[in-house]
Structures are given as C-alpha cells and as structure tokens.
Amino acid sequence: MGFSTTAIHAGQEPDEATGAVTVPIYQTSTYAQEGLGKNKGFEYARTQNPTRLAVERNIAALEGARFGYAFASGMAAIDATLRLIKSGEHVIVSDNTYGGTFRLFTRILAHYGIEFDFVDTSDISNVEEKLKPNTRMVFLETPTNPVMIVTDLQAVSDVAHRAGARVVCDNTFMSPYLQRPLDFGVDIVVHSTTKYLNGHSDGIGGAVVLNDEEDANWIAFVQNSAGAILSPFDSWLVLRGTKTLALRMEQHDRTGRAVAAFLEEHPAVRKLYYPGSLSHPQHETAKRQQRGFGGMVAFDVGSLEAARTVLESVKLCTLAESLGGVETLISHPATMTHASVLPETRARLGITDGLVRISVGLEDTDDIIADLDQALAKIS
Ligand SMILES: *Cc1c(COP(=O)(O)O)cnc(C)c1O
C-alpha cells in the first residue's frame, strides 16, 4: 500500500454505528459497561479513546511501526519515552536538539539520576566515544533545528545496538513522508504532531511509535499512569492532517528547494543551512535517508541589525515560533526558540545573531520568494 493510501485509511474504518467516513470525535470520559468485567474494550478515556486509537494506529502505520501512542504535546511524548530510562543509566543526545528537549533533559530528568551527554552526532566517532556500559539510549534529531545538522541514522543505530542502547529519533522536521527512521535501524520515533503531522497550526500534540513489544507496553503504561494523553478533538485534527501529509510535504519540499536556491544566490546571504544544498556537509547522508529535504531553511545575514530588518520587513511571512503549518513562518532562533541555549553553545552551533529560520508554507512559491526578495533588498 502506498503512503497516501495508508495515510487516508490506516486506523480509520467507517464508523460502525453510523457509517461516518471520518472517525467521530468520541468526546466522552467514560463508557457504559454491560456487566462486571464486560465492556466493548473501552472503560475510561484516559486509558482508551477510539479517536485517539485511530490516530495512534494511523501514525504507527505511516512510520512502519507496530505500536503508536499519542500524547498531549511533543514534549509529553519525549518525556514518556525517557521513562524507559532508570536512575543510574546514561543517554547520549544530539547536541543541537530542540530547546525544549534540552531543557527537559538537563533541568528536570537530570534530577532523577539520569546522566546525559550532548554530542555532535553527525560524527559517529563522537557517539562511539561517549558510549558506556550504562548507556541505554541514544536520542537523535535529524536534521536539527535550526542549523540542519544531519545524522546518519543507520551508522548510529549500528554502534548503539552493539553497545546495547536503544536509538530514538525525533522525526518532527521530516515527517514520515520524507524520512522513516525505523527503516534505518532506529528503535523509537517521536513526533511533535504540532508541526507537519497536524500541518494546520491548530493543535499541540505528540506521538511515540516503536516495534519492540516490551518497550511499547511500558510506553502504554506510562501514558495511562501519567496521563498526558492527546484529547479526542486534537486526535481528530491530526487525523485530518495526515490525510494530506504526502501532498503537503511534496509542496513544502518543492518550495523549500526554490527558496534555498534563491537564498544561496543572494548577495546579502552569508551562509545557507539547507541539507538539499550541495554545499551542506551532510548532503549525501541526507539524500540517502530522506525522500526530500523539506520546508525548513535557515540563513545568516551577518548581524542582528540585518536580521531584524529582514524579520520586520517581510509582509507575507509571519514572524512566529513553530513550523510545519500551511503558512510561512519566519523566526530569529537566537532570541526566540534558542534564547535559553548558552551563548557559547549558540556560537559553536552557528546560531548567530544574524541567523534567520524559515518554515516554508504552502503559499505560492513565487509569492514567498518575492516577499523575501523585497525584505533582503532593504539590507543589500
Ligand atoms: C516543537 C518540537 C518539539 C516539541 O513539541 P511540542 O508539541 O511543542 O511539545 C520537539 N521536537 C521538535 C524537533 C520540535 O520542533
């Protein structure tokens, strides 16, 4: 079955009671039971909800996974995944990971005796160096936000598995249409469904998908015990979103390439961060494990003043955090999404004051480029 067929049908049989082709929003907290211990498989809505179940099956199918669990946010999904790790165990993390992930790991989970090492996972020797007998997880993001560092999923999986560690990949930036980490040896995929899976900037959510039954049972246990579940309405919004995921990602990818090509040639742009560019250091790895390069493009205009001018001159692009929606969003990582990252870390990663990040939306490509062109003209 092709990707779009799966996206439109997986987990979504017509409703048994009415024939509704769209999975209904089962807005209920509990379910009538026929007798003691006799029910239809649904007892209480933190534990089971048919709308949530549908989106969990849907996302699992898109990633080629056996099991899926939907959470109230991407961070809740990542937090639940880290519950596989016990006090005294060690986790290796991509060092340019999402700021919220960095904050959760270093400022909360580190209090519970979990040890973290942050390394540039695009160089496999950095991962090998940090592997220890108590390493139980390698947590990757690829490409990273906002400087688009790409990690070789198969290479990391191979060395991590030899050391007895699970590999987790945050696949938010690519979506399963452009990258399926489980096909490259990764054990667990996490998503912020807030971004491309929802795709319409109208809900917060997260997901965990995986194949290992024992780990899956634990994630399900955490989901029910801690209770950070995705609501029925938000589950329905994500189901609405995944139906057009392939079409949307194709267009994000097409415009992303055009915007990157325009920026790369522009005299006011000092540096481009885009895995689809031949000048990107991991372009070959990106080509091998991704179906496309997606809609995230970052570029450096040299100074805070120049960045401010661009960000305040755009008319179509909206100045906002987040990504992956139908509208083009533009942001300033150093003062917005990455403000909590230490200045020396920002400098090492290339998150300079002149860096601008775009989440290319689904408006007409020419209109997006014309808007950037008039904004860049103000600094050249
Ligand atoms: C947004 C994001 C998250 C966090 O997701 P929320 O839904 O905001 O909790 C995690 N990882 C990446 C890569 C993200 O972009």
Side-chain angles (χ1 to χ4, degrees):
M1 213 78 95
F3 189 91
S4 281
T5 308
T6 303
I8 291 165
H9 293 288
Q12 306 178 78
E13 298 300 317
D15 181 47
E16 268 188 39
T18 65
V21 294
T22 301
V23 175
I25 302 167
Y26 283 90
Q27 194 70 34
T28 187
S29 60
T30 191
Y31 308 87
Q33 306 197 15
E34 293 142 49
L36 290 184
K38 271 176 64 188
N39 58 60
K40 297 185 161 71
F42 298 92
E43 297 159 281
Y44 184 64
R46 173 165 25 79
T47 319
Q48 315 103 344
N49 178 283
T51 321
R52 194 179 84 223
L53 196 59
V55 78
E56 290 175 337
R57 289 183 174 155
N58 187 254
I59 298 173
L62 295 182
E63 287 284 5
R66 292 171 67 200
F67 307 104
Y69 303 95
F71 290 86
S73 69
M75 290 320 305
I78 292 170
D79 184 58
T81 303
L82 267 287
R83 303 303 168 125
L84 290 163
I85 302 301
K86 297 188 183 71
S87 173
E89 294 181 343
H90 173 242
V91 180
I92 298 172
V93 190
S94 295
D95 72 349
N96 175 219
T97 190
Y98 177 74
T101 302
F102 180 78
R103 180 173 59 192
L104 173 70
F105 290 4
T106 57
R107 298 190 53 194
I108 299 180
L109 297 178
H111 294 173
Y112 298 91
I114 299 173
E115 211 188 320
F116 294 97
D117 265 313
F118 293 83
V119 300
D120 177 359
T121 51
S122 70
D123 182 346
I124 188 77
S125 67
N126 292 333
V127 178
E128 282 174 314
E129 237 166 64
K130 291 291 182 195
L131 280 166
K132 302 196 287 194
N134 64 340
T135 307
R136 287 290 169 270
M137 186 180 283
V138 179
F139 189 100
L140 306 173
E141 213 177 293
T142 178
T144 63
N145 172 20
V147 291
M148 310 302 280
I149 299 165
V150 173
T151 289
D152 186 330
L153 294 169
Q154 188 70 60
V156 170
S157 296
D158 290 346
V159 302
H161 290 162
R162 275 202 296 278
R166 306 169 183 84
V167 178
V168 180
C169 178
D170 182 335
N171 200 28
T172 301
F173 261 41
M174 285 288 100
S175 89
Y177 183 71
L178 293 181
Q179 176 169 275
R180 298 220 312 180
L182 300 184
D183 295 346
F184 298 92
V186 166
D187 303 288
I188 302 175
V189 169
V190 295
H191 275 284
S192 167
T193 62
T194 311
K195 317 295 166 50
Y196 289 109
L197 291 181
N198 171 300
H200 297 69
S201 308
D202 54 15
I204 297 280
V208 181
V209 306
L210 69 172
N211 282 325
D212 184 82
E213 191 160 359
E214 203 175 315
D215 280 359
N217 287 340
W218 185 249
I219 299 286
F221 186 75
V222 171
Q223 184 192 41
N224 185 43
S225 303
I229 49 165
L230 191 63
S231 77
F233 182 54
D234 287 299
S235 297
W236 183 85
L237 286 174
V238 176
L239 279 172
R240 177 278 321 256
T242 59
K243 291 190 179 81
T244 56
L245 184 63
L247 283 171
R248 287 187 290 109
M249 295 315 296
E250 285 284 351
Q251 182 63 17
H252 283 298
D253 186 58
R254 213 163 17 240
T255 306
R257 289 173 202 242
V259 166
F262 162 76
L263 291 170
E264 197 153 38
E265 294 299 314
H266 199 286
V269 173
R270 307 280 177 88
K271 192 166 163 51
L272 176 77
Y273 296 90
Y274 179 67
S277 161
L278 292 173
S279 65
H280 187 283
Q282 295 101 30
H283 175 69
E284 287 306 318
T285 307
K287 248 177 34 186
R288 199 166 57 243
Q289 64 192 21
Q290 300 172 197
R291 195 207 287 246
F293 304 106
M296 299 304 297
V297 184
F299 60 102
D300 202 317
V301 289
S303 71
L304 181 60
E305 292 65 47
R308 189 194 306 279
T309 303
V310 171
L311 291 161
E312 292 178 355
S313 302
V314 288
K315 297 190 174 83
L316 176 65
C317 306
T318 304
L319 177 63
E321 300 195 6
S322 199
L323 60 110
V326 293
E327 57 288 291
T328 298
L329 302 180
I330 194 160
S331 69
H332 187 242
T335 58
M336 293 169 70
T337 48
H338 291 67
S340 63
V341 178
L342 295 173
E344 54 268 31
T345 310
R346 282 210 299 269
R348 178 167 50 81
L349 294 170
I351 307 171
T352 59
D353 287 349
L355 190 72
V356 174
R357 186 191 85 176
I358 308 177
S359 167
V360 170
L362 301 181
E363 301 94 339
D364 293 281
T365 308
D366 292 348
D367 292 334
I368 298 171
I369 291 176
D371 190 35
L372 292 169
D373 196 26
Q374 64 81 24
L376 284 165
K378 305 234 160 82
I379 59 168
S380 11

